[in-house]
């Protein structure tokens, strides 16, 4: 037995909503995630329940509200074993938890840590974020998530000691995540204290309620009658429900259509309510412009609430605009509440890639457009999900049950593929640089438009075909085809050698054309497309479909044209990959394999290349013996590619030569500047040069347009070292580089770095320097250890960035503390 009504009456209520909502937001932030949540023990033994979630609409994830602790599920394993479970991507999830991956087959990473205090396991905290290549890249996020889980566990332990409830038997609280940007409309804030029946509001809230400044009624009933006289009970009802501990969200007719969000006040009187009134409108001009679009456009927040819709969207969805905005999508448009649509929307909420699918008009009244199918696209964002809808002809409905086998051949499926314009793929391919990125674009843009489920792209190298990308095929199925020669009797080869696309409406047709060929399925259809660019063979592309289907002449024409676009993109990507490999090899050869050492100085350097798809840069660092001292050097050549790497090598050699001659810093800078001008590579470079006396700690530094160093003092103070500096190298042959003196005390850390570590598009570089300064102060305060550990901690965030646009170089130096060490000691 799982309990009785009497048990429920005796059991204390669950944890306060304010505690849980705060914990969910903490999980979201700790994991740099798209969603965060907490599972807690329930009143049913052996069952965990989702108590709170932020960033995802609860109803859309109802199958995951309850988890049995003995099931092979990440949350269950964490609760049962007390060990964190980190899944880096869909492949990792499928390998370790196939049931979980089958239910949520999207590219995202999941971090799960136990909520445990003093041996008591209360549940599990989880965060969902963008996928990464390896779980090792999520160590920092896992540590932060564990800290947040520990804080929640301690709070629950105190609550339990005070007689409060720590189990959860209700539906989950659904919390809107903190916005990453300011809301597009006006926001007003107000509060209500039920004990005194007092309403307080700021001026913006009064305006949104449609009241003049200072005219806010002081009681709830008075406010309700003024705001919505036709339906005066709604606002008090919402506020009373919230006072009981249930955050809620609704539309409000105050002063026009408004979105109302309420939650229990965490720092006010018991039962107090805090509210936000939002005018979601994008503005009259933008609204009018959107109404001119032929496509339907509507936006959802991260909880599934429709916050904007243009007139065309309301028309295509068959819902009045006023009844669409401010309501959850599945409430406003019930006929979209079908498994296929929900699956696509879950995918858009969990992963960064856009989702494309088709949905059929439900019947009954004739649709308000030609045909009976809508082509939908969903574009995920940090705060909003943007959806488009356009009329389309019929697509195969994979969600419909298969017809009973009657012995008759399957009905042909037509599709909207002819409506797919090649320009859409061409635009998407302009952003793809590497062969892998081109393949990903084809997967995201081409397959959904034609209803495909499998993709393989082969590239030609030395008269053999090698697999560059696969998706949807059984594991290991394509292995025997790896490296096949151009004389093989295979459709993927013959489509390239003949230049003709091959289409097979069924697997039986494919097997008849190529007797003995190995098949991955007994049912389906296949298209083999030659990838030929400017008359040169590049490779072949295979599209797989799960059902038999015919390919119309128009579809064949479109697919052939798209194959040409893919071939040109692949050819460009191969050239890029070749140059990038050459540049990276050159740069790695030019960077120091080991740093010059001194008994009284410890150094550590780190170099991180830009992420895949970016050209290699010209960042470098070096430590060189200079007389009886050391020269610490860091620099950054403007530009990317082979030329930048080559120029970097020349500059590094020049600086080393000057340093080995123990020239003063100003002469090193001036001499290197003149050399770069004489070489005339069409590039300039920044550089910072520090000549350090290891015995006294005295240093003389010169800077050429480079970012200022950071200095962490032994007592933890961390300063930006203000070096006057001169212009970048390679611009002015008469440039002067002043020298600044400083002291590196025993235990202090000097940090030299390039802009890739502190600069992000759309962010002030000063903010990046301040963040690095704080990180250095915190990293240096940990128990003593190798300087390399500090370097790793300073670059851990950068290592996890999937969109790192620039190379990063970091050089640290310290004089270890020891008996008798002090500035000026011998």
């Amino acid at each position: 037995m799982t309990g009785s009504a009497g048990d429920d009456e005796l059991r204390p209520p669950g944890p306060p909503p304010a505690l849980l909502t705060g914990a969910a937001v903490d999980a979201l932030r700790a994991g740099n995630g798209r969603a965060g949540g907490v599972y807690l023990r329930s009143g049913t033994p052996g069952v965990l329940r989702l108590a709170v979630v932020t960033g995802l609409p609860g109803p859309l994830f109802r199958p995951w509200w309850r988890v049995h602790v003995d099931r092979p599920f990440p949350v269950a394993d964490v609760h049962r074993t007390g060990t964190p479970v980190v899944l880096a991507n869909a492949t990792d999830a499928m390998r370790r938890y196939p049931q979980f991956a089958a239910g949520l087959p999207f590219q995202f990473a999941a971090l799960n840590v136990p909520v445990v205090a003093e041996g008591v396991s209360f549940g599990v905290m989880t965060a969902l974020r963008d996928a990464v290549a390896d779980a090792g890249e999520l160590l920092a996020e896992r540590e932060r998530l564990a800290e947040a889980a520990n804080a929640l566990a301690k709070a629950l332990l105190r609550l339990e000691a005070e007689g409060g409830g720590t189990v959860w038997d209700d539906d989950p609280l659904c919390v809107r995540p903190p916005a990453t940007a300011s809301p597009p409309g006006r926001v007003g804030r107000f509060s209500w204290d039920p004990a005194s029946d007092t309403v307080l509001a700021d001026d913006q809230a009064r305006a949104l309620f449609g009241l003049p400044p200072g005219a806010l009624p002081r009681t709830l009933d008075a406010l309700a009658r003024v705001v919505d006289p036709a339906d005066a009970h709604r606002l008090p009802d919402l506020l009373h429900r919230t006072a009981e501990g249930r955050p809620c969200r609704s539309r409000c007719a105050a002063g026009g259509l408004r979105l109302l969000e309420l939650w229990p006040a965490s720092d006010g009187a018991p039962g107090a309510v805090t509210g936000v009134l939002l005018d979601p409108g994008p503005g009259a001009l933008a609204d009018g412009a959107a109404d001119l679009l032929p496509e339907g456009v509507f936006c959802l927040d991260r909880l599934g609430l429709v916050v904007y819709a243009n007139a065309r969207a309301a028309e295509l969805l068959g819902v009045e605009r006023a009844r669409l905005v401010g309501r959850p999508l599945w409430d406003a448009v019930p006929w979209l509440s079908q498994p296929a649509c929900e699956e696509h929307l879950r995918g858009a909420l969990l992963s960064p890639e856009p989702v494309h699918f088709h949905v059929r008009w439900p019947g009954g009244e004739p649709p308000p457009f030609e045909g009976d199918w809508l082509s939908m696209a969903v574009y995920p964002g940090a705060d909003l999900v943007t959806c488009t809808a356009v009329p389309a002809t019929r697509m195969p409905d994979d969600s419909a049950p298969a017809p009973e086998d009657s012995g008759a051949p399957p009905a042909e499926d037509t599709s909207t593929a002819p409506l797919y314009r090649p320009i859409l793929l061409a635009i998407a391919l302009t952003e793809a640089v590497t062969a892998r990125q081109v393949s990903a674009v084809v997967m995201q843009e081409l397959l959904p438009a034609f209803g495909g489920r499998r993709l393989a792209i082969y590239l030609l190298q030395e008269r053999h075909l090698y697999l560059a990308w696969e998706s949807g095929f059984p594991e290991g199925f394509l292995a025997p085809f790896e490296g096949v020669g151009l004389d093989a009797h295979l459709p993927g080869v013959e489509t390239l050698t003949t230049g003709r696309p091959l289409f097979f409406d069924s697997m039986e047709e494919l097997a008849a054309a190529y007797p003995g060929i190995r098949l991955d399925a007994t049912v389906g259809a296949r298209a083999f497309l030659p990838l030929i660019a400017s008359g040169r063979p590049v490779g072949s592309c295979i599209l797989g479909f799960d059902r038999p289907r015919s390919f119309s002449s128009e579809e064949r024409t479109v697919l052939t044209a798209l194959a040409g676009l893919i071939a040109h993109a692949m050819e460009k990507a191969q050239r890029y990959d070749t140059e990038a490999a050459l540049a990276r090899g050159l740069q790695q050869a030019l960077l120091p394999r080991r740093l010059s050492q001194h008994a009284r100085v410890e150094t550590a350097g780190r170099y991180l290349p830009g992420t895949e798809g970016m050209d290699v840069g010209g960042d470098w660092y070096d430590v060189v013996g200079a007389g009886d001292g050391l020269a610490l050097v860091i620099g950054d050549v403007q530009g990317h590619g082979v030329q930048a790497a080559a120029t970097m090598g020349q500059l590094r050699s020049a600086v080393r030569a000057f340093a080995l001659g123990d020239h003063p810093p100003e002469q090193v800078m001036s001499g290197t500047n003149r050399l770069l001008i004489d070489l005339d590579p069409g590039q300039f470079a920044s550089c910072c040069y520090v000549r350090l006396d290891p015995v006294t700690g005295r240093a003389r530094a010169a800077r050429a347009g480079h970012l200022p160093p950071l200095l962490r003092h032994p007592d933890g103070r961390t300063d930006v070292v203000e070096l006057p500096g001169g212009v970048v190298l390679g611009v002015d042959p008469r440039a002067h580089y002043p020298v600044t003196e400083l002291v590196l005390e025993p235990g202090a850390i000097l940090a030299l770095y390039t802009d890739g570590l502190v600069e992000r598009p759309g962010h002030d570089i000063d903010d990046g320097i301040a963040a690095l300064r704080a990180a250095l102060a915190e990293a240096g305060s940990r128990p003593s250890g190798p300087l390399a550990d500090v370097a790793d901690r300073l670059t851990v965030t950068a290592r996890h960035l999937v969109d790192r646009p620039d190379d990063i170089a970091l050089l640290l130096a310290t004089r270890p503390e020891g008996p008798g060490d002090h500035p000026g000691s011998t």
Side-chain angles (χ1 to χ4, degrees), residues 106 129 278 503 620 661 673 728:
F106 314 113
R129 52 154 290 151
L278 170 66
F503 298 94
W620 93 93
N673 176 52
V728 292

Side-chain angles (χ1 to χ4, degrees), residues 355-380:
V355 174
H356 304 268
F357 62 98
H358 293 75
V359 61
R360 191 171 189 173
W361 182 260
E365 302 239 345
F369 51 84
E370 185 177 352
D372 57 356
W373 285 78
L374 285 178
S375 176
M376 309 283 290
V378 185
Y379 301 89

Side-chain angles (χ1 to χ4, degrees), residues 258-411:
R258 303 286 184 257
L259 300 181
L260 181 66
E261 186 163 350
L262 305 168
W263 61 90
S266 59
D267 55 354
V273 174
T274 298
V276 167
L277 197 65
L278 170 66
D279 175 6
L285 291 178
D287 199 12
D291 282 343
L292 299 178
L293 294 174
E295 300 91 353
V297 179
F298 58 98
C299 299
L300 315 175
D301 69 4
R302 295 290 301 179
L303 297 187
L305 197 74
V306 181
V307 297
Y308 172 75
N310 69 354
R312 181 61 168 159
E315 177 187 356
L316 293 176
L317 296 177
V319 181
E320 294 180 12
R321 196 171 181 179
R323 295 183 57 80
L324 181 60
V325 176
R327 301 177 65 191
L329 178 63
W330 36 88
D331 290 347
V333 192
W335 58 274
L336 287 181
S337 298
Q338 49 184 280
C341 295
E342 292 180 351
E343 185 77 355
H344 290 302
L345 187 54
R346 277 194 289 266
L349 289 165
L350 289 175
S351 59
E353 291 81 14
V355 174
H356 304 268
F357 62 98
H358 293 75
V359 61
R360 191 171 189 173
W361 182 260
E365 302 239 345
F369 51 84
E370 185 177 352
D372 57 356
W373 285 78
L374 285 178
S375 176
M376 309 283 290
V378 185
Y379 301 89
D383 298 322
L384 297 177
V385 176
T386 301
C387 309
T388 64
V390 294
T393 54
R394 188 180 186 277
M395 281 291 292
D397 185 5
D398 292 338
S399 65
E404 294 184 3
D405 186 8
S406 61

